[in-house]
Amino acid sequence: MRRKPTELIIFSIFFFLSLKIFFGEMATAQNTTIPVNVGVVLDIDKWVGKMGLSCISMALQDFYASHGYYKTRLVLHTRDSKEDVIGAAAAALDLLKNVQVEAIIGPATSTQADFVINLGGKAQVPIISFSATSPSLSSIRSPYFIRATHNDSSQVKAISAIIQAYGWREVVPIYVDNELGEGILPFLSDALQEIDTRIPYRSIISPSATDDQIATELYKLMTMQTRVFIVHMLPSLSSKLFTKAKEVGMMSEGYVWIITYGITDLLSSLDASIIDSMQGVLGVKPHVPRTKEHENFRVRWKRKFQQDNPTELNAELNIFGLWAYDAATALAMAIEKLGATSIGGYGKTNISGNSTDLESFGISQSGPKLRQSLLSTTFRGLSGDFHIIDGQLQSSTYQIVNVIGNGGRGIGFWTEANGIVRELNSTNSKANLGAIIWPGDTTSPPKGWMIPTNGKKLRVGVPVKNGFSKFVKTTWNSDTNTTKVTGYCIDVFDAVMAALPYVVLYEYIPFATADDHAKMNGTYDELVYQVFLGKLDAVVGDITILANRTQYVDFTFPYTESGVSMIAPIKDNKSKTAWVFLKPLTWELWVTSFCSFVFIGFVIWVLEHRINEDFRGPPSHQLGLIFWFSFSTMVFAHREKVVSNLARFVVIIWVFVVLILTQSYTASLTSMLTVQQLQPTVTDVNELVNKGEYVGYQDGSFVQGLLKQKKFDEHKLVPYNSPEECDELLSKGSGNGGIAAAFDEIPYMKLFLGRYCSKYTMVEPTYKADGFGFVFPKGSPLGLDVSRAVLNVTEGDTMVNIGRAWFGKQSTCPDPSSLVSSNSLGVGSFWGLFLIAGVASFSALLISTALFLYEHRHVLSRFDPNVSIWRKFVVMARHFDQKDLSSHTFKKSEWRGTSMHAVEPSPNITNCPPPSTSSFSLHASPNTNGTSSPSSFSNHSDANFFRDQQATLSPPPNGQTPQEIVPPIELSNPNQDRPGALEFVDENP
């Protein structure tokens, strides 16, 4: 269906009117925007200034193109700082006084920013810098300074991670002598200290240094051992540095160069000749994620920049341009968020009439609010997340690059959480980097140090010794004016240096006096201190590793045994005392053993008394039996039979204990009487101190100080210089101008005993020392490599062969430990045995007592409640003293006794009533001496027993004498199924 011409005309008129109204409103809106003055202070003629200014302009164009409805518009007022601090300050002052800007973007360098920040703080105008990276510029000093870039201190962890990954122990920082260079150094030092890497030297380069001055400093660095350098300066100065470094040969194999991101990110702006002189350099720079927006902007910027700057060829955008773009965007957002009504201009200050021009500007009314708005502004920018914390942009991931060809090639990343990683999204936690081409076009990582290439040899000091020359011996040749150095320590050092993976040239320098080449020029401590003073590069010899020496030098791993011990004469201990048999055991063990013997005898008597005839009889007999039985087990001569299972259990345990005791006693006594013939005359250091004996030490040794710590009188310390002199002093003795004992290190002791082992012995205790080691300067990388070589040499046959060459085969002297008197055996060696025997005895005793009380519970139940405990104990003791005829040991005798009486009844029994099936009573006739016959018996019931106990003895009837009284005897047959068996119970056995 076609529209009519009239309708088309009306629709067209309506459409054009709508467009006119729309564009008219847009024009009106644009005419109502509020301009906000913003200053820009940059080095317009420098690369960073040109790039930054173009990025700031494009940022505002892009921002307002996508936010056309915003009411505010930033108006840029650009000033050239002319690469000068005063120029930057003058530009900022002009913007604050004459333009009254609300914020200033810039300046470019940290040196320029230092003064500009103070001006901004006074005017309360935010100073936003995208390239001033020095840590010395902080928001703490000026709250109106906002760093829209990374702090230089944020990259030191990434640099230290690279150094730690390759194990470099020394690093020399090369930095510019201004705020940029000095600001990073404290943070770099702390990061290196955390990984135990030291800074032996700091190379400071003036910002205006000439090529000759730079070359002089580089030649100085070449004379040092360290070959790892960290360069932190502006690209213009670093270009001169690397050009000269290549000319003097410091970009060759063995060198390591690491540059900070201030140089790394500007590699694309450097000339090809400079890049060529930096081949093999490592660098770090902030990692910028590759996004579509980022790539689009890079293309647009490059096209626009070349249009505006046709003389700049091959221009490449870097991180500083991205930070400038994001800083301008953040400022536009903050001002719009603040609102046009909050932009209030400047207020006047109260200034005097004679005030300077620096005090004649006012204070921004909107500055504090704008600062808060900037700090709270966050967004996703081209450089990543824009987030200001503590006045500065937060750091993120760093990329590690290797300068190869025309620029830098990425070889890995560093993150705070994972450290060095090959790929950001890799799950491999192992710290590694990609393939690196090092200076000198080599792929082998440099070791980080080397002997200086100035032809000097390593100066190795050695002590001059008159005695113990097998360790170190110096021989002076007056004809050739040279010194020959030999000895065990020298051979070990030569073997260690030969084991290094590289060649080190060195020469031995004896520590002798100028007038006498055979006399040492001081003590060992003074010799070691020469390394700290730099007069010697190392010290080799019988140098003991001591804690006080490690405060100013480093030692390698020890290559000898450690410790200080005592040598004393030995004597023949042939004269034995009459009481030597008591020495194998201590008196505590003797007493414990005696008490145990008595206790075990008592326990066996208790367990056997009621059921064993061998453990019955008169009290004196039983008491003697207790002692006899237990002590007879010591030689296994006991003849008494034990019939109780509990007693047998106790005897088994006790015999085992006795066996261990007797065998140990025999072994100890045998050792004292046979093996321990030779003993030292002195076994205790405190004894020497208390008696005021003279003792010896090797002259010049640290042992003298050790003896003083042990409270020896200094006048009682006698030095010696050779084994022969030590032997002479020990032979004389302390009372005849000699010494009672000598103290020295174990290597010297063994050398001495190798010749005089028949006369002397080594006596404990041994005082701790760390043995002999080689001395190197504090933190020397060579010392670490030598320590590794020491381990390789000591673990092989080389050390054994060197030892045999100087000390011969192992001595045939007896082991010194076998000559020292052994200690007596104490309770501590046998407390487990006594514990087992005691537990077994107590257990058996408790079980036996419990069974006895259970069997006689009816007796206890019949006691009158008013009867005393002592009376009860006496009654139960009398019951315990009676035989237990129910025991199997007495049943056998009952059978034999019954048969005997049935066949031939005793003629002494008279007036016997007729036998009964239940019981009968017999009266034994008295003996001729008036006592009951042993064949008389009595079997009372418990009731009769209590009646007997409670009855009062009355006088004999009819005037009879006690001898005429015949005790009644009751015979009963408890076993009804055995009518022929009779049970005899003797109440008074």
Side-chain angles (χ1 to χ4, degrees), residues 401-475:
V401 300
N402 184 204
V403 179
I404 298 296
N406 297 326
R409 176 175 59 88
I411 57 174
F413 299 90
W414 178 88
T415 63
E416 184 72 28
N418 301 322
I420 294 177
V421 293
R422 183 67 184 90
E423 301 290 344
L424 281 179
N425 299 324
S426 175
T427 58
N428 185 12
S429 61
K430 182 179 179 181
N432 57 1
L433 293 171
I436 300 176
I437 304 299
W438 302 94
D441 198 22
T442 178
T443 58
S444 300
K447 64 178 180 292
W449 73 274
M450 65 177 61
I451 300 301
T453 58
N454 53 7
K456 294 176 58 178
K457 295 182 180 180
L458 204 67
R459 299 165 299 172
V460 181
V462 293
V464 178
K465 299 179 67 68
N466 296 323
F468 296 94
S469 58
K470 288 189 176 183
F471 289 98
V472 177
K473 181 179 181 181
T474 57
T475 305

Side-chain angles (χ1 to χ4, degrees), residues 520-562:
M520 189 161 173
N521 188 21
T523 63
Y524 274 64
D525 286 339
E526 293 173 341
L527 171 60
V528 172
Y529 196 68
Q530 301 303 307
V531 177
F532 176 77
L533 297 177
K535 297 180 180 181
L536 295 174
D537 299 319
V539 171
V540 173
D542 48 348
I543 311 297
T544 304
I545 303 173
L546 298 177
N548 64 322
R549 294 174 179 173
T550 58
Q551 295 178 2
Y552 46 88
V553 294
D554 279 348
F555 285 88
T556 63
F557 290 136
Y559 58 91
T560 62
E561 294 182 73
S562 62

Side-chain angles (χ1 to χ4, degrees), residues 924-986:
S925 59
N927 295 339
T928 58
N929 57 2
T931 60
S932 301
S933 172
S935 60
S936 62
F937 303 93
S938 175
N939 186 6
H940 293 277
S941 65
D942 293 331
N944 292 334
F945 176 79
F946 273 97
R947 286 196 299 270
D948 291 342
Q949 298 296 331
Q950 297 173 358
T952 303
L953 295 179
S954 58
N958 302 325
Q960 292 180 342
T961 62
Q963 289 83 0
E964 295 175 349
I965 299 175
V966 179
I969 301 176
E970 292 184 0
L971 303 178
S972 63
N973 182 11
N975 302 320
Q976 298 300 328
D977 57 341
R978 294 162 55 192
L982 298 178
E983 182 178 2
F984 299 87
V985 180
D986 190 354

Side-chain angles (χ1 to χ4, degrees), residues 576-620:
K576 307 296 181 180
T577 64
W579 304 100
V580 69
F581 66 89
L582 296 176
K583 291 184 178 181
L585 307 181
T586 61
W587 69 269
E588 293 92 346
L589 184 56
W590 280 114
V591 173
T592 304
S593 301
F594 176 80
C595 295
S596 299
F597 276 107
V598 175
F599 176 71
I600 293 298
F602 171 75
V603 171
I604 298 300
W605 175 82
V606 170
L607 298 176
E608 294 290 316
H609 177 67
R610 302 183 67 243
I611 62 175
N612 194 337
E613 288 287 356
D614 291 342
F615 289 84
R616 303 186 66 83
S620 59

Side-chain angles (χ1 to χ4, degrees), residues 674-843:
T674 57
V675 178
Q676 306 281 339
Q677 294 293 328
L678 300 177
Q679 296 182 359
T681 56
V682 179
T683 58
D684 189 6
V685 177
N686 295 326
E687 180 183 352
L688 294 173
V689 176
N690 296 333
K691 291 183 178 180
E693 300 282 1
Y694 286 89
V695 296
Y697 67 95
Q698 189 178 169
D699 191 16
S701 173
F702 73 95
V703 177
Q704 180 185 14
L706 177 63
L707 295 176
K708 292 180 181 180
Q709 294 178 4
K710 298 299 178 183
K711 308 302 181 183
F712 278 97
D713 188 354
E714 186 174 359
H715 301 289
K716 300 291 184 179
L717 304 179
V718 180
Y720 58 85
N721 292 303
S722 64
E724 294 79 10
E725 187 177 354
C726 181
D727 172 52
E728 181 181 355
L729 291 173
L730 287 171
S731 299
K732 291 180 179 179
S734 180
N736 300 316
I739 57 178
F743 291 83
D744 214 333
E745 296 177 77
I746 290 179
Y748 300 114
M749 293 289 193
K750 290 192 173 182
L751 179 62
F752 179 81
L753 292 177
R755 298 176 57 182
Y756 304 104
C757 64
S758 61
K759 300 168 61 177
Y760 310 102
T761 184
M762 192 183 303
V763 183
E764 298 289 345
T766 298
Y767 301 102
K768 180 64 177 175
D770 288 332
F772 296 162
F774 304 128
V775 181
F776 286 92
K778 200 76 174 177
S780 171
L782 180 59
L784 297 176
D785 289 348
V786 172
S787 289
R788 298 186 187 97
V790 167
L791 295 178
N792 294 331
V793 171
T794 53
E795 291 175 357
D797 297 332
T798 305
M799 288 291 291
V800 178
N801 297 331
I802 296 175
R804 288 177 179 176
W806 284 101
F807 306 119
K809 296 182 179 180
Q810 189 174 2
S811 175
T812 57
C813 295
D815 185 5
S817 62
S818 64
L819 303 179
V820 182
S821 177
S822 61
N823 296 325
S824 300
L825 300 175
V827 178
S829 302
F830 301 98
W831 71 268
L833 292 174
F834 288 117
L835 178 63
I836 294 174
V839 171
S841 303
F842 273 113
S843 299

Side-chain angles (χ1 to χ4, degrees), residues 215-251:
T216 301
E217 183 66 20
L218 292 176
Y219 280 121
K220 184 178 181 180
L221 294 176
M222 291 179 66
T223 63
M224 303 177 184
Q225 293 184 358
T226 307
R227 291 294 181 265
V228 181
F229 306 106
I230 300 176
V231 181
H232 181 66
M233 56 185 62
L234 292 176
S236 57
L237 185 60
S238 66
S239 300
K240 295 181 181 181
L241 177 71
F242 282 106
T243 301
K244 281 298 176 182
K246 184 176 182 180
E247 291 179 5
V248 300
M250 294 183 67
M251 297 303 298

